[in-house]
Amino acid sequence: MKFLKAFVACATLLVAANSNAALINFNDYSIEGFAGQDVNGTSTVSDFGLTLDLDGNTWVAISNAFDFVIDPTSVLYFSFEATGNEAEWYGIGFDNNDRVTASSLFQFGGTDTTGANQLTQYSFGSGVATYAVNVGDFLTGAFSQMIFVLDADNVSGTSASFFDVELCSSATFCETTSQGNVAVNTPSSTLLMLLSLGLLATRIRRS
């Protein structure tokens, strides 16, 4: 799984460099504890900036000079994997004032149920899950922070990874859904060959 994840991240980054992709690169943002909920945990960036890894009991926010703009057509795409022990809840969301606001947060797993907007539950131990959330159905406006939640007040040994995160709308380019369907700079034949060889090697390893 780690081999596949690292390979896909590298390939995605190379494709993104050739297509003005909108995937979030966490290296481009400051990462800080959110709303006093960064209790006892760490956050690291991996896979060339495409993955945010959380450990322990922590809520973090990414922010910079650019707002996260949500309109009625906006969709939030991301992939997620939890390891270690199951946390009390896993979530993602948006904020402007460094306060916990249930209406702008989304829960998709964990042992507890919160007042946040509820998404399809992540099945702990199942590996990677990919989400497409019509966030424009829940909230609109410009937000200065995107929030990532690994809440584990009474549990130790929890870890979670968020990767291939993208917020896009009908008015913006969307790497997640539009690669190959819009007029963008396509990857070179050499890159396509490397992608094919990498996927073949992965299949052989799984055999």
Side-chain angles (χ1 to χ4, degrees):
M1 177 60 70
K2 286 187 177 180
F3 171 81
L4 176 60
K5 183 178 170 185
F7 178 82
V8 171
C10 181
T12 302
L13 187 66
L14 290 172
V15 173
N18 288 275
S19 60
N20 297 319
L23 291 174
I24 287 177
N25 189 313
F26 291 99
N27 287 326
D28 296 336
Y29 296 83
S30 60
I31 302 175
E32 301 176 345
F34 174 71
Q37 298 295 318
D38 183 20
V39 179
N40 182 23
T42 59
S43 61
T44 56
V45 175
S46 62
D47 296 333
F48 306 96
L50 296 181
T51 298
L52 175 65
D53 299 303
L54 303 180
D55 293 285
N57 179 25
T58 184
W59 299 34
V60 300
I62 62 170
S63 59
N64 66 5
F66 301 98
D67 289 339
F68 300 99
V69 178
I70 300 175
D71 65 36
T73 71
S74 295
V75 180
L76 175 65
Y77 298 96
F78 66 96
S79 292
F80 175 84
E81 182 176 22
T83 55
N85 293 318
E86 187 171 12
E88 287 154 11
W89 73 283
Y90 307 104
I92 195 168
F94 301 88
D95 193 73
N96 274 323
N97 56 15
D98 201 42
R99 296 179 182 176
V100 177
T101 305
S103 60
S104 61
L105 291 172
F106 301 86
Q107 180 182 6
F108 52 87
T111 58
D112 294 348
T113 300
T114 72
N117 299 298
Q118 298 295 307
L119 305 179
T120 300
Q121 290 291 293
Y122 172 77
S123 179
F124 183 76
S126 62
V128 175
T130 299
Y131 287 83
V133 185
N134 295 318
V135 289
D137 290 343
F138 296 86
L139 61 157
T140 57
F143 296 85
S144 60
Q145 297 172 301
M146 183 181 289
I147 315 304
F148 300 86
V149 177
L150 174 59
D151 191 270
D153 292 322
N154 300 304
V155 186
S156 61
T158 60
S159 298
S161 296
F162 295 82
F163 55 98
D164 294 344
V165 181
E166 181 175 26
L167 175 66
C168 54
S169 68
S170 61
T172 60
F173 174 81
C174 185
E175 172 67 24
T176 303
T177 60
S178 299
Q179 182 62 39
N181 297 320
V182 294
V184 296
N185 294 323
T186 58
S188 67
S189 58
T190 301
L191 176 56
L192 290 174
M193 180 178 68
L194 289 173
L195 285 170
S196 298
L197 289 174
L199 291 174
L200 177 60
T202 301
R203 289 175 181 173
I204 292 174
R205 284 189 173 204
R206 288 181 172 179
S207 301

